[in-house]
Structure formats: C-alpha cells, structure tokens
Amino acid sequence: MTKRDVMIYTRYERFWHWSQAVLIFTLFFTGLRIHDLHPWLKFGQAVTLHTYAAYALMGLWVFTTFWNFTTGQWRQYLFKKGIFKVIRFYAWGILVGEPHPYKKTLQRKQNALQSLAYMTFMVVIGPALWLTGIAYLFYNEWAGADWSGDALWVIAVSHTMAAFAMGTFVIIHIYMTTTGKTPLHYVKTMITGYDKVELSEVEEAYLAETKSVEMR
Amino acid sequence: MKRFFPFMGRWLLALALAIWLPGLAQASSTADHSKFESLKGPFASAPEVTKACLACHTEASHQVMKSIHWTWDFTNPDTGKRLGKPRTMNSFCGSPLSNEPRCTSCHAGYGWTDARQQPEPVQENVDCLVCHDRSGGYKKVATDAGHPLYEPRVMGGKSVMPPDLAKAAQSVADPGRDNCGACHFNGGGGDGVKHGDLDTSLVKPSRQLDVHMAADGANMTCATCHTFNDHIPSGSRYDTTAKDPHGLDLPKDDHNRATCESCHGDTPHKQAKLNDHTDRVACQTCHIPEFARGGVATKTWWDWSTAGRKDADGKAVFIKDDHGHLSYSAEKGDFQYGENVRPTYYWYNGVTEQVNVGDKFDDSQILRLNKLHGDSKDPKARIWPFKEMRGKQPYDPELKTLVVNHVFGKDDAAFWGNYDYAKSIKFGMDYAGLPWSGKIGFIETRMTWPITHMVAPKEDALKCGQCHTKDENGRLAQLPGFYMPGRDSIRWLDFVGLLALGGALAGVVVHGLARIVMNRKTRHD
C-alpha cells in the first residue's frame, strides 16, 4: 500500500461544485432580500438575479444528474455503515486527537456522514427548492385556479423553509472543510482535484498503465 | 401564452398610434365652419346656435339625448340599480334636487330647472358648444341651468361679459381637454375638488403630470381614450371596466378605448415578471404613484356638520389656510385638502354599489357611499388605486337615509343664505317628495374614486419594493388576504429558520474554538 496524489475530483466535479457554490450563494443572498430580510439590493434586481441564478442552477443540476449516472459516481452517495462512528469523531474524537474512523479510497471518496448529508441535499433540500421554485416561477400559468391563493402560500412557505435548511447545510459544510489536515486542505483539494489516497499495488499499477485516473 | 410573444403589443401599439394620432393632431375636416353663412349670427341665445348646428347635423341632438351627459340617468347593469345625479349621493354637494339652476349648469343642455323630471326633449336645448367650442370663449354660467351669459353681469364684484356666440359657433371642432374639463375638472364645486386625478392642470399638463395628454407626450385629448360612439361616451365610474379581457383594440376595434389595455394590451412590459402582474394589479396602481400632482389641491375631507357658523357680528365665517384654500366655509363646513396624494388601494372588479338618496343604511358605522366589490379570490378583480374622500353629511337619524339639502336659491330656505339646516333640509325633502322624520344628524362617510388619470412617465412608476416590503408603510400593507413576496411570511417559521442559521453558526464557532483550545493534534488524512 502506498499513498499517492490522485485526482479524486475530476474537472467536471470541481466545476459543478464551485459553480453550484456561487449560484447557491447568489440565490440565498437574493432570496433573503426578496423575503425582505436585508436591504442590500433593490427588490426588482434581487428577483431578476434570483430568477437567472435559479435557471442556471437547474441547468447545472440536469447536467450533473446526467453526469452522475453515466459515470456511476452516484454510487458515492449511497448509504454507508458506520455513521455513528463518524458523528462521534466530529463530536469528540476530533477534539482529543483521535484518528478519523474512515479511510478515503478511490471508490469511497465520502465518509458515511458526508454521503448522508449530500444525499439529503440532493434528494430532499434540492428538490424541495426547485420544485417549489419552478411552481413559484410559473405562478401566472396556474394563477387562475381556485386553489391558487392557498397554494401560493404553501409553495412560498415551503420554499422559504427549504432555503433556511440549505443555508444551515452550507454553514456546517463550510466549517467541515476546515477539519482536514490543515484548515485549508479540503478547499485546496476541491480546487486542484488531487488528494493523497492509499492505493494497493494493483490499483497503482492499473492507474499508471491505463491513465484512467490522473496520478502524480 | 402571450408571454412568448412580447413584441406583439409594441407592434400593434405603434400601428394604433400611427392610425389615430395623425388624425388627432391635424383635426382636419372637409368643412370650415367659419365659412358657413348660417353660423355668422348674430345669435340671441345659445339654443339658436344649436338650431343652426342641427340644420346640417340632423341626428346630433337625438344622439346626445341618449347619452348620460343629457339624461343623468343610468341603470347599473351589475346591480340593476337606477343611478344618476338626481338620485345617487356623493360626499361633496349632496343632491342637485332643489338646487337645479346651480347644479344643472353642468348639464349638456339648456334650461333643465327641475331635476325631478328628465330634461324636456327639446332639440334646441342640447348644448353643442360646451363640447365643441374651440374659441375658448364659450362658458356656461354657474347659476343659469346650463345657459351662458347673454348680458354682462356683475359676479364676485366684477363685470363679466357674455361670450361671442357667433365666434364660438364658427370655431367648432373635436373637443379639447378644456371642453371636457369645464365640467369634469370642476366637479364638487371647484377646481380639482372631486376626483383628485382631474383638474385644470390637465389642460396643459407637463409630461411628468400626464404622459398621454402632455403636448410633449402623446398630446391626447380626453376623447382619444373615452371614445364617443354616436355621442355616447365610453368609460364609466358607475360601471367600471376594472379588467379589460378584450385587450388590444386593433385589429378588431370595440370602439371603447377607455382602458389602458385598449392600446397597451395586457402584456405591455418587456420583462415577463412585470407582465405577470397585469392580471391582478391595475395599470393605474403602479403608473399613477400619486394624484393631484399638477399643483391643484383636491378635497379630502368635507364636514358638513360644522357649517353655518357666524361671527359675533352675525356674519358668516370663512377661513382660508396658508395655501389660500378655504379651510372653513359657513356655507359648507370644514375642509381638508391634499396634493401629491398617495392613493388608497383596494381590490375592485368594477362592480360598485352606490347609495341613493332614499336608501336605508346602518348608521352605527361609517357609511360607504360606493361599496367596491371584489377581493383577492375574485379573478375579475384587480388591485386599484383610489382617492378616498372622507367627510360628514346630514342624514335622517330616524329613517336612516341621507337627506336632500336645499343649499342654493334666492328663497329664504336656502342654506347658503340662512344657514338653517332645519329649514333647508325640510325644503329639500319636500321638493324631492321624500319622507323625513324632521330630525337631523350627521354621519361620517367615505367615498372611493378610482384613480385613472395623471398617468406618470414609466420612470416615475412605483418600484417593486414599494409594495413588496415588510414595512408597515408599504403601499399594500393594508391589503391582506393573499401572499405577496417581500411582504408576507409566517413569522414563527422565519424565526425558526433564522434560529437554525444562527444555531449552526454558533455551533461551528463553539466547535472551532473547542478544537483550538484543546490544542491537540487533530489532523488526519
């Protein structure tokens, strides 16, 4: 077993991650303005930005869903055992210098807690936002219905709730990036794509031969 | 799916303007009325002018006699109720009954001295000149049941000359803003008093005041929008088109351009999000941010209950405010005025319930003289801007009806002379033939006047954030019942959401500090 610098986040994954980050920040900031929780934009500007960013993010998600399934990367997000060990680590072990209970490998980039968090992000918070968002965006197409007044309340409130959940996720997510080897280690990894991963000899030889994953 | 054809509206608007405006600007006619022998006069009276007009325009008087300008009689198609000035009450002067020669000075005819009956159908009594005089000299005198002066008369200490009827007759053309304004700008007894969005500043408005009627704007007249068909005007406050599903009038013209949609359609904005508003928000709501913007104040409060005060010498009291407006008049009571007034907003589907003079009402609350129909659940209703007129009016506290007050006349019962409500109301009620208990009370009233004129240039329209705000001073803060982004939220849910965000922030800060404090090797790969 040797440790090698391996490209674990491909160019598309990094593009996906960072463009999604920018869009989510934009959406959260403009969304709070639309909800009249801060004054740092005009309402009309906030709506316009929010709308464009929403379309962009939905486009990005369509591509990413396609990418996740064609590359098989979607399996990374499946439920893994050992989640309580990970939770225990972040709650206590990390403070007293215990080793992380999880070993990152090429086939398992995420620990159990990460998988669960990202899965929740992708199948609960995300869809709650875009489903209500699309309904909201096209309000005028169903405004004529008898139930539209009540439905708008439900949609708007659900959208707001999901947005708060997203905001909470992002805060914790950003903090978690500081728990690496150095506080900026994970951020660097997400920028360069490379991280040190333990490879078996067979894996190393295979990657070196096929160049299916970049390694340095 | 009109949102996918945003250019359609602009194209049709351009076409419409190309067709209509040149005709208006040139006002060219195949007849030069100054060359007609029959119009050279001299005319001893205004009906003689009408007779000359009718010699060629054989159907004109018959057409006018069918219009509300002549009949003052209208049956509301929505409520089935018979309306019109002789019976429908407003919160200004009250009733024209028993005050005819004064109030019927704005009748489109001559000599209607008894408004209890329809004006007599005498052809020559139709007033052509009040609408068609373009000499600017013709004027109906305020007290002569629609006639102009025929002899010089001393009024307000000044000698006033009668108009040159021959000159007026030879000047006739399509009505200008000043023609309609002669009556409509002065409703309620003076300039700008009644409507708030109609006053003499609209004779020559700036572009800022009225983008359509300004000479450097579209230079339209009233009739450009209030299309006349056989002398019948379109557009009505009794029966309002609160939402025009017909939309653009071209290529198929409904001969009624008295809605914004007639020319602008219902998707007039470049931005789809703005067009999304037009089904629920009237154009006027955003595009007339304030009314009475032309420098003429409009009356906002009229309290008849204080009228009749005399000073120690027994002289009637009149007090003017700093702007030269009467703030108190012994003839009429206390007044308040407003300029650049922010409208009051209500849902409105165009159906209005008016109060007629004999109608019973509940006097335990403020009386609404015209109840607006429509709410957020009514697909035909939109949010409209209104001038909300407030005041107090005499009523019969036993029969619970409004009363006819005889204010004008040379007799000793007229309020504007004897200042005695008991006498003037008895006279008025007897004249109208209505029951009266003999008691007089004063009831506070409200009357809502749809604001639709004084459309500002688009750069002065309301901004999104003036409605979409949690500010309790927001434009629509008083209009609940529907979800509006920026204004509405479930407070406790926002609280929980912010608590989650704050909790997460606090949590990571504490966790981070703990990591630093513990100061151990915490890194891993």
Side-chain angles (χ1 to χ4, degrees):
Chain A
M1 297 285 267
T2 50
K3 279 204 166 182
R4 292 291 302 265
D5 266 331
V6 179
M7 168 78 78
I8 62 160
Y9 301 123
T10 61
R11 193 181 298 152
Y12 182 79
E13 265 174 306
R14 283 176 282 142
F15 165 76
W16 163 33
H17 177 268
W18 289 113
S19 53
Q20 176 171 275
V22 169
L23 289 172
I24 285 174
F25 267 107
T26 307
L27 284 161
F28 196 64
F29 182 75
T30 53
L32 287 176
R33 171 61 188 93
I34 293 167
H35 207 51
D36 204 15
L37 291 176
H38 70 71
W40 298 299
L41 266 183
K42 287 182 180 164
F43 184 89
Q45 295 170 327
V47 169
T48 306
L49 262 172
H50 199 78
T51 308
Y52 285 135
Y55 277 125
L57 185 58
M58 287 188 287
L60 182 67
W61 280 348
V62 169
F63 273 112
T64 302
T65 305
F66 180 76
W67 177 89
N68 264 319
F69 282 97
T70 51
T71 59
Q73 287 293 319
W74 62 276
R75 288 193 187 84
Q76 301 278 1
Y77 302 94
L78 289 178
F79 184 77
K80 299 179 181 71
K81 284 184 182 167
I83 191 160
F84 291 106
K85 279 186 196 159
V86 181
I87 290 172
R88 191 195 163 280
F89 169 76
Y90 284 115
W92 178 249
I94 193 171
L95 301 177
V96 297
E98 282 177 13
H100 201 287
Y102 201 81
K103 286 275 176 286
K104 192 181 275 183
T105 72
L106 206 50
Q107 270 70 47
R108 297 199 317 173
K109 296 182 202 171
Q110 300 160 3
N111 67 47
L113 185 61
Q114 268 181 309
S115 294
L116 184 69
Y118 298 163
M119 195 66 154
T120 308
F121 173 92
M122 287 195 296
V123 304
V124 180
I125 302 176
L129 280 165
W130 62 255
L131 281 171
T132 53
I134 289 172
Y136 211 154
L137 209 50
F138 289 91
Y139 165 69
N140 257 56
E141 308 305 326
W142 49 272
D146 292 341
W147 40 263
S148 65
D150 296 328
L152 186 62
W153 268 101
V154 173
I155 284 166
V157 167
S158 314
H159 195 74
T160 315
M161 275 169 61
F164 279 124
M166 175 69 95
T168 307
F169 169 88
V170 168
I171 288 170
I172 295 167
H173 177 69
I174 291 172
Y175 173 72
M176 296 298 267
T177 65
T178 67
T179 59
K181 211 162 23 181
T182 67
L184 286 176
H185 173 77
Y186 287 151
V187 176
K188 279 182 193 151
T189 304
M190 193 43 92
I191 292 171
T192 63
Y194 285 99
D195 198 7
K196 279 211 170 11
V197 176
E198 218 160 77
L199 295 178
S200 65
E201 275 173 43
V202 178
E203 277 177 325
E204 195 180 359
Y206 177 78
L207 295 184
E209 178 64 27
T210 61
K211 294 191 168 46
S212 60
V213 173
E214 283 176 58
M215 194 166 52
R216 60 186 185 193
Chain B
M1 287 288 127
K2 272 190 184 143
R3 58 194 299 150
F4 297 117
F5 301 101
F7 301 109
M8 192 97 143
R10 297 175 175 279
W11 180 78
L12 283 173
L13 174 63
L15 181 71
L17 290 176
I19 291 168
W20 291 333
L21 291 181
L24 293 165
Q26 293 161 14
S28 64
S29 166
T30 52
D32 180 348
H33 284 82
S34 69
K35 291 180 180 162
F36 285 100
E37 278 307 313
S38 57
L39 297 182
K40 296 229 158 105
F43 297 105
S45 72
E48 280 183 28
V49 178
T50 300
K51 210 169 177 180
C53 302
L54 297 180
C56 296
H57 299 279
T58 56
E59 304 311 305
S61 62
H62 300 290
Q63 294 180 349
V64 172
M65 282 183 189
K66 285 182 193 149
S67 84
I68 196 169
H69 282 147
W70 175 269
T71 61
W72 287 16
D73 189 355
F74 182 83
T75 301
N76 188 330
D78 304 307
T79 62
K81 190 167 183 170
R82 191 175 171 199
L83 307 172
K85 290 182 188 297
R87 49 199 77 79
T88 305
M89 299 299 279
N90 67 48
S91 51
F92 297 88
C93 309
S95 171
L97 297 178
S98 78
N99 305 305
E100 283 90 345
R102 175 74 183 81
C103 299
T104 51
S105 68
C106 263
H107 181 239
Y110 303 116
W112 191 18
T113 51
D114 185 352
R116 292 173 297 189
Q117 276 122 37
Q118 286 298 100
E120 279 185 66
V122 178
Q123 307 300 307
E124 301 88 74
N125 278 357
V126 170
D127 187 347
C128 306
L129 289 176
V130 69
C131 302
H132 293 286
D133 163 56
R134 297 305 296 142
S135 74
Y138 180 82
K139 195 171 186 299
K140 289 154 101 67
V141 70
T143 53
D144 289 8
H147 282 282
L149 283 180
Y150 298 123
E151 309 264 307
R153 190 185 293 175
V154 177
M155 291 190 292
K158 276 191 285 184
S159 181
V160 180
M161 296 301 288
D164 183 341
L165 291 175
K167 198 177 161 196
Q170 291 169 39
S171 76
V172 292
D174 281 339
R177 296 186 286 270
D178 48 343
N179 291 99
C180 309
C183 288
H184 292 284
F185 293 164
N186 294 293
D191 192 2
V193 164
K194 194 183 268 179
H195 290 271
D197 62 343
L198 290 175
D199 60 50
T200 55
S201 67
L202 289 174
V203 174
K204 283 181 187 147
S206 67
R207 191 173 164 274
Q208 254 55 43
L209 176 59
D210 192 303
V211 74
H212 297 107
M213 300 210 278
D216 56 347
N219 200 16
M220 291 177 175
T221 63
C222 310
T224 312
C225 301
H226 291 277
T227 333
F228 278 73
N229 298 290
D230 301 338
H231 281 97
I232 310 288
S234 53
S236 172
R237 198 174 45 74
Y238 284 147
D239 179 30
T240 307
T241 309
K243 189 176 188 176
D244 180 3
H246 183 94
L248 282 170
D249 275 6
L250 288 176
K252 203 175 165 193
D253 194 346
D254 67 353
H255 301 287
N256 177 352
R257 275 167 231 141
T259 65
C260 308
E261 294 96 314
S262 300
C263 297
H264 295 283
D266 51 9
T267 54
H269 310 95
K270 276 186 208 152
Q271 274 194 46
K273 201 66 216 164
L274 292 179
N275 286 334
D276 284 352
H277 287 72
T278 60
D279 57 338
R280 302 324 318 263
V281 183
C283 313
Q284 290 88 339
T285 296
C286 298
H287 291 279
I288 310 174
E290 276 99 27
F291 58 86
R293 295 202 314 276
V296 179
T298 188
K299 217 159 265 185
T300 55
W301 169 259
W302 182 332
D303 181 358
W304 278 96
S305 71
T306 59
R309 227 161 69 207
K310 291 178 182 168
D311 63 16
D313 304 330
K315 277 183 71 180
V317 176
F318 294 88
I319 303 166
K320 284 191 175 176
D321 65 15
D322 299 343
H323 301 280
H325 300 125
L326 275 174
S327 59
Y328 178 78
S329 155
E331 291 180 348
K332 299 174 178 177
D334 277 300
F335 294 141
Q336 285 169 23
Y337 303 83
E339 275 189 63
N340 304 310
V341 186
R342 176 170 137 170
T344 307
Y345 302 94
Y346 292 109
W347 285 99
Y348 183 40
N349 63 11
V351 179
T352 316
E353 252 180 84
Q354 285 86 356
V355 174
N356 279 355
V357 65
D359 292 353
K360 284 197 190 305
F361 51 82
D362 172 10
D363 63 349
S364 65
Q365 55 188 9
I366 291 173
L367 172 64
R368 289 212 159 260
L369 289 173
N370 59 343
K371 279 194 203 100
L372 306 173
H373 283 216
D375 56 38
S376 63
K377 290 182 177 59
D378 179 350
K380 286 185 182 148
R382 299 202 286 180
I383 296 168
W384 268 77
F386 294 90
K387 170 188 169 181
E388 184 141 274
M389 179 65 193
R390 301 153 55 243
K392 283 187 185 173
Q393 292 173 247
Y395 83 114
D396 183 332
E398 209 149 278
L399 297 179
K400 306 200 190 304
T401 64
L402 289 168
V403 292
V404 173
N405 188 14
H406 174 54
V407 293
F408 179 85
K410 294 207 157 52
D411 55 276
D412 83 321
F415 191 78
W416 296 347
N418 71 5
Y419 303 105
D420 182 348
Y421 270 124
K423 268 189 185 173
S424 64
I425 289 171
K426 178 168 184 2
F427 186 101
M429 294 304 271
D430 285 347
Y431 183 90
L434 290 166
W436 178 47
S437 71
K439 296 205 171 72
I440 300 167
F442 289 88
I443 182 153
E444 189 164 343
T445 60
R446 294 282 184 277
M447 194 168 186
T448 41
W449 294 78
I451 294 296
T452 189
H453 309 100
M454 296 189 178
V455 175
K458 61 180 173 187
E459 60 271 21
D460 294 342
L462 287 192
K463 302 286 179 278
C464 312
Q466 288 178 273
C467 296
H468 293 279
T469 173
K470 291 199 193 328
D471 190 339
E472 59 187 21
N473 202 28
R475 292 268 179 160
L476 298 184
Q478 308 304 322
L479 209 61
F482 62 100
Y483 183 86
M484 184 167 70
R487 181 190 71 174
D488 294 316
S489 59
I490 297 178
R491 288 294 154 102
W492 67 264
L493 233 159
D494 278 4
F495 181 74
V496 169
L498 291 169
L499 204 67
L501 287 181
L505 261 177
V508 300
V509 166
V510 168
H511 195 272
L513 285 174
R515 275 165 61 205
I516 292 165
V517 170
M518 301 292 272
N519 198 22
R520 307 238 178 142
K521 185 172 167 37
T522 62
R523 279 121 206 197
H524 68 282
D525 337 87

